[in-house]
PDB file of all heavy atoms in Angstrom:
ATOM      1  N   MET O   1      47.813 -10.573   0.682  1.00 39.00           N
ATOM      2  CA  MET O   1      48.509 -10.566  -0.597  1.00 39.00           C
ATOM      3  C   MET O   1      49.756  -9.698  -0.538  1.00 39.00           C
ATOM      4  O   MET O   1      50.810 -10.040  -1.088  1.00 39.00           O
ATOM      5  CB  MET O   1      47.578 -10.081  -1.714  1.00 39.00           C
ATOM      6  CG  MET O   1      46.431 -11.033  -2.008  1.00 39.00           C
ATOM      7  SD  MET O   1      45.389 -10.439  -3.340  1.00 39.00           S
ATOM      8  CE  MET O   1      46.555 -10.416  -4.688  1.00 39.00           C
ATOM      9  N   ASP O   2      49.655  -8.521   0.192  1.00 40.00           N
ATOM     10  CA  ASP O   2      50.813  -7.650   0.281  1.00 40.00           C
ATOM     11  C   ASP O   2      51.930  -8.331   1.043  1.00 40.00           C
ATOM     12  O   ASP O   2      53.113  -8.244   0.687  1.00 40.00           O
ATOM     13  CB  ASP O   2      50.418  -6.333   0.949  1.00 40.00           C
ATOM     14  CG  ASP O   2      49.431  -5.575   0.089  1.00 40.00           C
ATOM     15  OD1 ASP O   2      49.416  -5.850  -1.122  1.00 40.00           O
ATOM     16  OD2 ASP O   2      48.717  -4.734   0.637  1.00 40.00           O
ATOM     17  N   GLY O   3      51.549  -9.025   2.128  1.00 40.00           N
ATOM     18  CA  GLY O   3      52.582  -9.700   2.909  1.00 40.00           C
ATOM     19  C   GLY O   3      53.264 -10.767   2.105  1.00 40.00           C
ATOM     20  O   GLY O   3      54.486 -10.928   2.143  1.00 40.00           O
ATOM     21  N   ASP O   4      52.505 -11.546   1.349  1.00 41.00           N
ATOM     22  CA  ASP O   4      53.108 -12.589   0.530  1.00 41.00           C
ATOM     23  C   ASP O   4      54.012 -11.989  -0.526  1.00 41.00           C
ATOM     24  O   ASP O   4      55.091 -12.511  -0.825  1.00 41.00           O
ATOM     25  CB  ASP O   4      52.011 -13.431  -0.118  1.00 41.00           C
ATOM     26  CG  ASP O   4      51.226 -14.198   0.935  1.00 41.00           C
ATOM     27  OD1 ASP O   4      51.744 -14.355   2.060  1.00 41.00           O
ATOM     28  OD2 ASP O   4      50.123 -14.632   0.616  1.00 41.00           O
ATOM     29  N   GLY O   5      53.555 -10.865  -1.120  1.00 40.00           N
ATOM     30  CA  GLY O   5      54.374 -10.241  -2.150  1.00 40.00           C
ATOM     31  C   GLY O   5      55.687  -9.718  -1.590  1.00 40.00           C
ATOM     32  O   GLY O   5      56.745  -9.830  -2.212  1.00 40.00           O
ATOM     33  N   THR O   6      55.649  -9.126  -0.381  1.00 36.00           N
ATOM     34  CA  THR O   6      56.882  -8.628   0.229  1.00 36.00           C
ATOM     35  C   THR O   6      57.824  -9.766   0.554  1.00 36.00           C
ATOM     36  O   THR O   6      59.038  -9.691   0.339  1.00 36.00           O
ATOM     37  CB  THR O   6      56.542  -7.839   1.501  1.00 36.00           C
ATOM     38  OG1 THR O   6      55.637  -6.797   1.157  1.00 36.00           O
ATOM     39  CG2 THR O   6      57.791  -7.249   2.131  1.00 36.00           C
ATOM     40  N   ARG O   7      57.274 -10.867   1.091  1.00 36.00           N
ATOM     41  CA  ARG O   7      58.100 -12.010   1.422  1.00 36.00           C
ATOM     42  C   ARG O   7      58.738 -12.592   0.173  1.00 36.00           C
ATOM     43  O   ARG O   7      59.911 -12.964   0.141  1.00 36.00           O
ATOM     44  CB  ARG O   7      57.255 -13.062   2.149  1.00 36.00           C
ATOM     45  CG  ARG O   7      58.080 -14.262   2.619  1.00 36.00           C
ATOM     46  CD  ARG O   7      57.289 -15.121   3.596  1.00 36.00           C
ATOM     47  NE  ARG O   7      56.029 -15.528   3.046  1.00 36.00           N
ATOM     48  CZ  ARG O   7      54.844 -15.061   3.413  1.00 36.00           C
ATOM     49  NH1 ARG O   7      54.787 -14.118   4.342  1.00 36.00           N
ATOM     50  NH2 ARG O   7      53.723 -15.511   2.876  1.00 36.00           N
ATOM     51  N   ASP O   8      57.979 -12.668  -0.942  1.00 39.00           N
ATOM     52  CA  ASP O   8      58.540 -13.178  -2.190  1.00 39.00           C
ATOM     53  C   ASP O   8      59.642 -12.259  -2.721  1.00 39.00           C
ATOM     54  O   ASP O   8      60.659 -12.710  -3.262  1.00 39.00           O
ATOM     55  CB  ASP O   8      57.432 -13.338  -3.226  1.00 39.00           C
ATOM     56  CG  ASP O   8      56.459 -14.431  -2.805  1.00 39.00           C
ATOM     57  OD1 ASP O   8      56.833 -15.264  -1.941  1.00 39.00           O
ATOM     58  OD2 ASP O   8      55.348 -14.431  -3.339  1.00 39.00           O
ATOM     59  N   ALA O   9      59.423 -10.934  -2.576  1.00 36.00           N
ATOM     60  CA  ALA O   9      60.436  -9.990  -3.069  1.00 36.00           C
ATOM     61  C   ALA O   9      61.741 -10.121  -2.278  1.00 36.00           C
ATOM     62  O   ALA O   9      62.837 -10.105  -2.843  1.00 36.00           O
ATOM     63  CB  ALA O   9      59.902  -8.559  -2.982  1.00 36.00           C
ATOM     64  N   ARG O  10      61.647 -10.257  -0.954  1.00 34.00           N
ATOM     65  CA  ARG O  10      62.854 -10.422  -0.147  1.00 34.00           C
ATOM     66  C   ARG O  10      63.572 -11.717  -0.500  1.00 34.00           C
ATOM     67  O   ARG O  10      64.799 -11.784  -0.539  1.00 34.00           O
ATOM     68  CB  ARG O  10      62.492 -10.399   1.329  1.00 34.00           C
ATOM     69  CG  ARG O  10      61.975  -9.040   1.814  1.00 34.00           C
ATOM     70  CD  ARG O  10      61.499  -9.130   3.248  1.00 34.00           C
ATOM     71  NE  ARG O  10      61.005  -7.833   3.711  1.00 34.00           N
ATOM     72  CZ  ARG O  10      60.418  -7.646   4.890  1.00 34.00           C
ATOM     73  NH1 ARG O  10      60.274  -8.671   5.726  1.00 34.00           N
ATOM     74  NH2 ARG O  10      59.994  -6.453   5.239  1.00 34.00           N
ATOM     75  N   HIS O  11      62.790 -12.759  -0.749  1.00 36.00           N
ATOM     76  CA  HIS O  11      63.410 -14.020  -1.121  1.00 36.00           C
ATOM     77  C   HIS O  11      64.139 -13.899  -2.456  1.00 36.00           C
ATOM     78  O   HIS O  11      65.230 -14.449  -2.640  1.00 36.00           O
ATOM     79  CB  HIS O  11      62.326 -15.105  -1.200  1.00 36.00           C
ATOM     80  CG  HIS O  11      62.872 -16.437  -1.636  1.00 36.00           C
ATOM     81  ND1 HIS O  11      63.593 -17.267  -0.793  1.00 36.00           N
ATOM     82  CD2 HIS O  11      62.787 -17.077  -2.844  1.00 36.00           C
ATOM     83  CE1 HIS O  11      63.929 -18.371  -1.432  1.00 36.00           C
ATOM     84  NE2 HIS O  11      63.456 -18.286  -2.682  1.00 36.00           N
ATOM     85  N   ALA O  12      63.542 -13.146  -3.369  1.00 36.00           N
ATOM     86  CA  ALA O  12      64.191 -12.966  -4.668  1.00 36.00           C
ATOM     87  C   ALA O  12      65.478 -12.164  -4.535  1.00 36.00           C
ATOM     88  O   ALA O  12      66.480 -12.428  -5.217  1.00 36.00           O
ATOM     89  CB  ALA O  12      63.239 -12.286  -5.644  1.00 36.00           C
ATOM     90  N   GLN O  13      65.488 -11.155  -3.617  1.00 35.00           N
ATOM     91  CA  GLN O  13      66.703 -10.376  -3.441  1.00 35.00           C
ATOM     92  C   GLN O  13      67.808 -11.202  -2.787  1.00 35.00           C
ATOM     93  O   GLN O  13      68.988 -11.061  -3.098  1.00 35.00           O
ATOM     94  CB  GLN O  13      66.404  -9.136  -2.592  1.00 35.00           C
ATOM     95  CG  GLN O  13      65.500  -8.137  -3.304  1.00 35.00           C
ATOM     96  CD  GLN O  13      65.126  -6.997  -2.401  1.00 35.00           C
ATOM     97  OE1 GLN O  13      65.583  -6.934  -1.265  1.00 35.00           O
ATOM     98  NE2 GLN O  13      64.322  -6.067  -2.909  1.00 35.00           N
ATOM     99  N   ALA O  14      67.398 -12.078  -1.883  1.00 35.00           N
ATOM    100  CA  ALA O  14      68.415 -12.890  -1.207  1.00 35.00           C
ATOM    101  C   ALA O  14      68.950 -13.980  -2.099  1.00 35.00           C
ATOM    102  O   ALA O  14      70.105 -14.383  -1.976  1.00 35.00           O
ATOM    103  CB  ALA O  14      67.826 -13.496   0.079  1.00 35.00           C
ATOM    104  N   ASN O  15      68.159 -14.481  -2.989  1.00 37.00           N
ATOM    105  CA  ASN O  15      68.558 -15.562  -3.884  1.00 37.00           C
ATOM    106  C   ASN O  15      68.230 -15.140  -5.309  1.00 37.00           C
ATOM    107  O   ASN O  15      67.213 -15.545  -5.872  1.00 37.00           O
ATOM    108  CB  ASN O  15      67.828 -16.864  -3.530  1.00 37.00           C
ATOM    109  CG  ASN O  15      68.092 -17.291  -2.098  1.00 37.00           C
ATOM    110  OD1 ASN O  15      69.139 -17.842  -1.794  1.00 37.00           O
ATOM    111  ND2 ASN O  15      67.117 -17.019  -1.223  1.00 37.00           N
ATOM    112  N   PRO O  16      69.061 -14.296  -5.870  1.00 36.00           N
ATOM    113  CA  PRO O  16      68.743 -13.829  -7.223  1.00 36.00           C
ATOM    114  C   PRO O  16      68.838 -14.969  -8.215  1.00 36.00           C
ATOM    115  O   PRO O  16      69.723 -15.810  -8.149  1.00 36.00           O
ATOM    116  CB  PRO O  16      69.811 -12.757  -7.482  1.00 36.00           C
ATOM    117  CG  PRO O  16      70.933 -13.127  -6.569  1.00 36.00           C
ATOM    118  CD  PRO O  16      70.342 -13.733  -5.354  1.00 36.00           C
ATOM    119  N   VAL O  17      67.905 -14.999  -9.129  1.00 33.00           N
ATOM    120  CA  VAL O  17      67.864 -16.026 -10.169  1.00 33.00           C
ATOM    121  C   VAL O  17      68.094 -15.343 -11.494  1.00 33.00           C
ATOM    122  O   VAL O  17      67.362 -14.403 -11.853  1.00 33.00           O
ATOM    123  CB  VAL O  17      66.513 -16.760 -10.169  1.00 33.00           C
ATOM    124  CG1 VAL O  17      66.481 -17.800 -11.284  1.00 33.00           C
ATOM    125  CG2 VAL O  17      66.270 -17.407  -8.817  1.00 33.00           C
ATOM    126  N   PRO O  18      69.119 -15.753 -12.250  1.00 36.00           N
ATOM    127  CA  PRO O  18      69.373 -15.088 -13.536  1.00 36.00           C
ATOM    128  C   PRO O  18      68.273 -15.420 -14.524  1.00 36.00           C
ATOM    129  O   PRO O  18      67.770 -16.535 -14.574  1.00 36.00           O
ATOM    130  CB  PRO O  18      70.715 -15.687 -13.966  1.00 36.00           C
ATOM    131  CG  PRO O  18      70.799 -17.005 -13.250  1.00 36.00           C
ATOM    132  CD  PRO O  18      70.095 -16.819 -11.954  1.00 36.00           C
ATOM    133  N   HIS O  19      67.880 -14.430 -15.312  1.00 35.00           N
ATOM    134  CA  HIS O  19      66.866 -14.592 -16.337  1.00 35.00           C
ATOM    135  C   HIS O  19      67.531 -14.447 -17.689  1.00 35.00           C
ATOM    136  O   HIS O  19      68.366 -13.564 -17.890  1.00 35.00           O
ATOM    137  CB  HIS O  19      65.759 -13.535 -16.188  1.00 35.00           C
ATOM    138  CG  HIS O  19      65.000 -13.684 -14.908  1.00 35.00           C
ATOM    139  ND1 HIS O  19      63.963 -14.563 -14.758  1.00 35.00           N
ATOM    140  CD2 HIS O  19      65.154 -13.055 -13.711  1.00 35.00           C
ATOM    141  CE1 HIS O  19      63.484 -14.479 -13.528  1.00 35.00           C
ATOM    142  NE2 HIS O  19      64.193 -13.568 -12.870  1.00 35.00           N
ATOM    143  N   PRO O  20      67.157 -15.265 -18.631  1.00 35.00           N
ATOM    144  CA  PRO O  20      67.732 -15.110 -19.969  1.00 35.00           C
ATOM    145  C   PRO O  20      67.287 -13.810 -20.596  1.00 35.00           C
ATOM    146  O   PRO O  20      66.151 -13.368 -20.416  1.00 35.00           O
ATOM    147  CB  PRO O  20      67.186 -16.326 -20.727  1.00 35.00           C
ATOM    148  CG  PRO O  20      65.940 -16.701 -19.983  1.00 35.00           C
ATOM    149  CD  PRO O  20      66.193 -16.362 -18.555  1.00 35.00           C
ATOM    150  N   ALA O  21      68.177 -13.179 -21.290  1.00 36.00           N
ATOM    151  CA  ALA O  21      67.850 -11.909 -21.935  1.00 36.00           C
ATOM    152  C   ALA O  21      66.910 -12.148 -23.101  1.00 36.00           C
ATOM    153  O   ALA O  21      67.015 -13.139 -23.814  1.00 36.00           O
ATOM    154  CB  ALA O  21      69.133 -11.232 -22.432  1.00 36.00           C
ATOM    155  N   ALA O  22      66.019 -11.225 -23.306  1.00 36.00           N
ATOM    156  CA  ALA O  22      65.062 -11.351 -24.401  1.00 36.00           C
ATOM    157  C   ALA O  22      65.752 -11.027 -25.708  1.00 36.00           C
ATOM    158  O   ALA O  22      66.652 -10.180 -25.760  1.00 36.00           O
ATOM    159  CB  ALA O  22      63.888 -10.401 -24.182  1.00 36.00           C
ATOM    160  N   PRO O  23      65.390 -11.684 -26.776  1.00 37.00           N
ATOM    161  CA  PRO O  23      65.992 -11.369 -28.074  1.00 37.00           C
ATOM    162  C   PRO O  23      65.650  -9.961 -28.491  1.00 37.00           C
ATOM    163  O   PRO O  23      64.631  -9.402 -28.095  1.00 37.00           O
ATOM    164  CB  PRO O  23      65.369 -12.416 -29.006  1.00 37.00           C
ATOM    165  CG  PRO O  23      64.112 -12.837 -28.316  1.00 37.00           C
ATOM    166  CD  PRO O  23      64.393 -12.753 -26.866  1.00 37.00           C
ATOM    167  N   PRO O  24      66.526  -9.342 -29.282  1.00 37.00           N
ATOM    168  CA  PRO O  24      66.276  -7.945 -29.661  1.00 37.00           C
ATOM    169  C   PRO O  24      64.973  -7.767 -30.410  1.00 37.00           C
ATOM    170  O   PRO O  24      64.345  -6.710 -30.308  1.00 37.00           O
ATOM    171  CB  PRO O  24      67.488  -7.611 -30.537  1.00 37.00           C
ATOM    172  CG  PRO O  24      68.532  -8.607 -30.153  1.00 37.00           C
ATOM    173  CD  PRO O  24      67.812  -9.841 -29.767  1.00 37.00           C
ATOM    174  N   SER O  25      64.576  -8.767 -31.162  1.00 36.00           N
ATOM    175  CA  SER O  25      63.368  -8.596 -31.972  1.00 36.00           C
ATOM    176  C   SER O  25      62.090  -8.914 -31.221  1.00 36.00           C
ATOM    177  O   SER O  25      61.014  -8.863 -31.797  1.00 36.00           O
ATOM    178  CB  SER O  25      63.460  -9.506 -33.219  1.00 36.00           C
ATOM    179  OG  SER O  25      63.572 -10.871 -32.806  1.00 36.00           O
ATOM    180  N   ALA O  26      62.206  -9.292 -29.957  1.00 36.00           N
ATOM    181  CA  ALA O  26      60.990  -9.670 -29.224  1.00 36.00           C
ATOM    182  C   ALA O  26      60.126  -8.449 -28.994  1.00 36.00           C
ATOM    183  O   ALA O  26      60.614  -7.400 -28.580  1.00 36.00           O
ATOM    184  CB  ALA O  26      61.370 -10.319 -27.891  1.00 36.00           C
ATOM    185  N   SER O  27      58.843  -8.581 -29.251  1.00 38.00           N
ATOM    186  CA  SER O  27      57.894  -7.483 -29.050  1.00 38.00           C
ATOM    187  C   SER O  27      57.515  -7.398 -27.587  1.00 38.00           C
ATOM    188  O   SER O  27      57.532  -8.397 -26.867  1.00 38.00           O
ATOM    189  CB  SER O  27      56.641  -7.714 -29.902  1.00 38.00           C
ATOM    190  OG  SER O  27      56.023  -8.946 -29.533  1.00 38.00           O
ATOM    191  N   PRO O  28      57.198  -6.199 -27.094  1.00 37.00           N
ATOM    192  CA  PRO O  28      56.822  -6.073 -25.679  1.00 37.00           C
ATOM    193  C   PRO O  28      55.517  -6.815 -25.409  1.00 37.00           C
ATOM    194  O   PRO O  28      54.673  -6.983 -26.291  1.00 37.00           O
ATOM    195  CB  PRO O  28      56.660  -4.552 -25.501  1.00 37.00           C
ATOM    196  CG  PRO O  28      56.370  -4.043 -26.873  1.00 37.00           C
ATOM    197  CD  PRO O  28      57.128  -4.929 -27.808  1.00 37.00           C
ATOM    198  N   PRO O  29      55.337  -7.301 -24.187  1.00 39.00           N
ATOM    199  CA  PRO O  29      54.101  -8.038 -23.872  1.00 39.00           C
ATOM    200  C   PRO O  29      52.899  -7.120 -23.977  1.00 39.00           C
ATOM    201  O   PRO O  29      52.989  -5.910 -23.741  1.00 39.00           O
ATOM    202  CB  PRO O  29      54.336  -8.505 -22.424  1.00 39.00           C
ATOM    203  CG  PRO O  29      55.337  -7.541 -21.867  1.00 39.00           C
ATOM    204  CD  PRO O  29      56.208  -7.151 -23.018  1.00 39.00           C
ATOM    205  N   PRO O  30      51.771  -7.670 -24.356  1.00 39.00           N
ATOM    206  CA  PRO O  30      50.571  -6.832 -24.474  1.00 39.00           C
ATOM    207  C   PRO O  30      50.148  -6.317 -23.113  1.00 39.00           C
ATOM    208  O   PRO O  30      50.365  -6.963 -22.091  1.00 39.00           O
ATOM    209  CB  PRO O  30      49.527  -7.803 -25.052  1.00 39.00           C
ATOM    210  CG  PRO O  30      50.012  -9.165 -24.638  1.00 39.00           C
ATOM    211  CD  PRO O  30      51.496  -9.075 -24.641  1.00 39.00           C
ATOM    212  N   PRO O  31      49.590  -5.136 -23.066  1.00 37.00           N
ATOM    213  CA  PRO O  31      49.167  -4.587 -21.768  1.00 37.00           C
ATOM    214  C   PRO O  31      48.021  -5.405 -21.185  1.00 37.00           C
ATOM    215  O   PRO O  31      47.155  -5.894 -21.906  1.00 37.00           O
ATOM    216  CB  PRO O  31      48.728  -3.156 -22.117  1.00 37.00           C
ATOM    217  CG  PRO O  31      48.356  -3.236 -23.568  1.00 37.00           C
ATOM    218  CD  PRO O  31      49.282  -4.248 -24.183  1.00 37.00           C
ATOM    219  N   MET O  32      48.050  -5.556 -19.859  1.00 34.00           N
ATOM    220  CA  MET O  32      46.979  -6.282 -19.175  1.00 34.00           C
ATOM    221  C   MET O  32      45.749  -5.398 -19.091  1.00 34.00           C
ATOM    222  O   MET O  32      45.852  -4.190 -18.853  1.00 34.00           O
ATOM    223  CB  MET O  32      47.436  -6.676 -17.764  1.00 34.00           C
ATOM    224  CG  MET O  32      48.610  -7.642 -17.754  1.00 34.00           C
ATOM    225  SD  MET O  32      48.172  -9.226 -18.486  1.00 34.00           S
ATOM    226  CE  MET O  32      46.976  -9.800 -17.269  1.00 34.00           C
ATOM    227  N   PRO O  33      44.546  -5.993 -19.271  1.00 37.00           N
ATOM    228  CA  PRO O  33      43.330  -5.175 -19.136  1.00 37.00           C
ATOM    229  C   PRO O  33      43.164  -4.695 -17.705  1.00 37.00           C
ATOM    230  O   PRO O  33      43.535  -5.387 -16.749  1.00 37.00           O
ATOM    231  CB  PRO O  33      42.218  -6.149 -19.543  1.00 37.00           C
ATOM    232  CG  PRO O  33      42.804  -7.513 -19.326  1.00 37.00           C
ATOM    233  CD  PRO O  33      44.265  -7.379 -19.613  1.00 37.00           C
ATOM    234  N   ALA O  34      42.671  -3.504 -17.578  1.00 37.00           N
ATOM    235  CA  ALA O  34      42.525  -2.909 -16.249  1.00 37.00           C
ATOM    236  C   ALA O  34      41.561  -3.723 -15.391  1.00 37.00           C
ATOM    237  O   ALA O  34      41.922  -4.287 -14.364  1.00 37.00           O
ATOM    238  CB  ALA O  34      42.044  -1.458 -16.384  1.00 37.00           C
ATOM    239  N   THR O  35      40.328  -3.812 -15.782  1.00 38.00           N
ATOM    240  CA  THR O  35      39.313  -4.597 -15.063  1.00 38.00           C
ATOM    241  C   THR O  35      38.463  -5.310 -16.096  1.00 38.00           C
ATOM    242  O   THR O  35      38.193  -4.767 -17.176  1.00 38.00           O
ATOM    243  CB  THR O  35      38.408  -3.685 -14.201  1.00 38.00           C
ATOM    244  OG1 THR O  35      37.816  -2.688 -15.036  1.00 38.00           O
ATOM    245  CG2 THR O  35      39.208  -3.039 -13.074  1.00 38.00           C
ATOM    246  N   PRO O  36      38.047  -6.513 -15.806  1.00 43.00           N
ATOM    247  CA  PRO O  36      37.207  -7.221 -16.779  1.00 43.00           C
ATOM    248  C   PRO O  36      35.885  -6.494 -16.954  1.00 43.00           C
ATOM    249  O   PRO O  36      35.348  -5.891 -16.022  1.00 43.00           O
ATOM    250  CB  PRO O  36      37.007  -8.603 -16.132  1.00 43.00           C
ATOM    251  CG  PRO O  36      37.257  -8.384 -14.667  1.00 43.00           C
ATOM    252  CD  PRO O  36      38.276  -7.299 -14.596  1.00 43.00           C
TER     253      PRO O  36
END
Side-chain angles (χ1 to χ4, degrees):
M1 293 181 62
D2 295 338
D4 294 341
T6 304
R7 184 167 55 252
D8 293 341
R10 293 174 180 174
H11 178 76
Q13 292 175 3
N15 302 281
V17 179
H19 296 277
S25 60
S27 60
M32 296 296 294
T35 56

